[in-house]
Amino acid sequence: MSRPRFVHLQVHSEYSVVDGLIRIDDLVARLAGTGMAAAALTEQCNLFSLVKFYQAAERRGVKPIIGADLYLAPQAGVGRRTRITCLVENLDGYRTLTRLLSRAYIEGSREGQPEIAREWLQAANTGLILLAGGREGDIGHLLLAGQMAEAERLAHAWQADLGERFCLAITRTGRAGEEEYLRAAVPLAARLGIPLVATNDVRFLAAADFSAHEARVCI
């Protein structure tokens, strides 16, 4: 059996508008050049880049994984908007995600940002794999606030809805709160049998692009 290989599962391109600089052709060229077998493009609340990414990846022999990063509306015990990543498992999952995104813009827009409700995902999650959004997710928020029992209750609830299609995302990029989140999330995942998925919030391809990305976010 071959060893598992790391692939990026949280990448934003220029199609995320205010939260990404990467051009699709440059992304796929870098993936192919480094021998990465697959990658997920998870734009912020949209699927605008889907067709271009899929076609470019297919041409270069890279497996395109479709998904989106979504804002989750405040819920019981979590009084703030949090993040979650939805990855498409199959055609049913693509249809589920398109409906969720449409509903977010039609029904869930708040302060200019589309949101989804947790109840929507409870009712319709066929074909989706969910990655709890690390330190920016609902469980991460509770863990960093020291609310361990509430975090475990919420993790149980997500697990009941999605089973093995619910995972905890972990990152180690040196940002504030990451190590504290890791020290709490790893034991929680072990206790409940929740899969852990290593991710990295990719917004640009070269370190020299950081200032340009920050300027775009500020604008």
Side-chain angles (χ1 to χ4, degrees), residues 17-73:
V17 188
V18 298
D19 195 34
L21 286 179
I22 303 170
R23 295 186 175 183
I24 300 299
D25 289 339
D26 294 341
L27 169 65
V28 175
R30 177 67 65 86
L31 293 169
T34 55
M36 196 164 287
L41 195 57
T42 57
E43 307 291 11
Q44 184 60 55
C45 299
N46 74 69
L47 293 171
F48 300 159
S49 61
L50 189 157
V51 173
K52 188 171 184 179
F53 173 59
Y54 189 92
Q55 292 175 340
E58 288 279 286
R59 287 195 299 269
R60 297 298 296 267
V62 176
K63 180 179 175 62
I65 302 171
I66 306 305
D69 281 340
L70 305 178
Y71 287 118
L72 196 63

Side-chain angles (χ1 to χ4, degrees), residues 23 35 41 46 82 99 112 121 147 151 183 193 216:
R23 295 186 175 183
L41 195 57
N46 74 69
T82 53
R99 294 187 188 104
L121 276 170
Q147 301 180 46
R183 287 195 291 269
R216 172 169 284 197

Side-chain angles (χ1 to χ4, degrees), residues 7-189:
V7 300
H8 285 292
L9 295 177
Q10 287 183 300
V11 180
H12 287 186
S13 79
E14 61 185 347
Y15 286 86
S16 283
V17 188
V18 298
D19 195 34
L21 286 179
I22 303 170
R23 295 186 175 183
I24 300 299
D25 289 339
D26 294 341
L27 169 65
V28 175
R30 177 67 65 86
L31 293 169
T34 55
M36 196 164 287
L41 195 57
T42 57
E43 307 291 11
Q44 184 60 55
C45 299
N46 74 69
L47 293 171
F48 300 159
S49 61
L50 189 157
V51 173
K52 188 171 184 179
F53 173 59
Y54 189 92
Q55 292 175 340
E58 288 279 286
R59 287 195 299 269
R60 297 298 296 267
V62 176
K63 180 179 175 62
I65 302 171
I66 306 305
D69 281 340
L70 305 178
Y71 287 118
L72 196 63
Q75 52 188 305
V78 186
R80 50 166 285 185
R81 180 171 58 200
T82 53
R83 295 171 71 97
I84 196 161
T85 300
C86 294
L87 301 178
V88 168
E89 188 175 34
N90 49 37
L91 181 57
D92 287 337
Y94 168 72
R95 290 169 175 155
T96 301
L97 182 55
T98 57
R99 294 187 188 104
L100 278 171
L101 285 167
S102 295
R103 193 172 182 185
Y105 281 94
I106 294 170
E107 299 179 35
S109 185
R110 189 167 70 98
E111 297 177 356
Q113 292 283 1
E115 298 176 345
I116 63 168
R118 178 167 160 12
E119 293 76 16
W120 300 356
L121 276 170
Q122 284 179 295
N125 57 62
T126 302
L128 292 181
I129 298 170
L130 265 63
L131 308 183
R135 66 196 178 107
E136 296 182 345
D138 51 2
I139 294 171
H141 173 71
L142 292 169
L143 290 175
L144 289 174
Q147 301 180 46
M148 305 303 179
E150 187 64 18
E152 187 160 332
R153 181 202 65 77
L154 186 56
H156 262 305
W158 279 116
Q159 199 175 26
D161 293 335
L162 289 119
E164 292 184 352
R165 292 182 292 118
F166 176 69
C167 309
L168 288 181
I170 55 174
T171 61
R172 180 169 272 159
T173 59
R175 290 175 296 182
E178 280 184 347
E179 291 302 317
E180 293 84 352
Y181 167 73
L182 273 169
R183 287 195 291 269
V186 172
L188 173 65

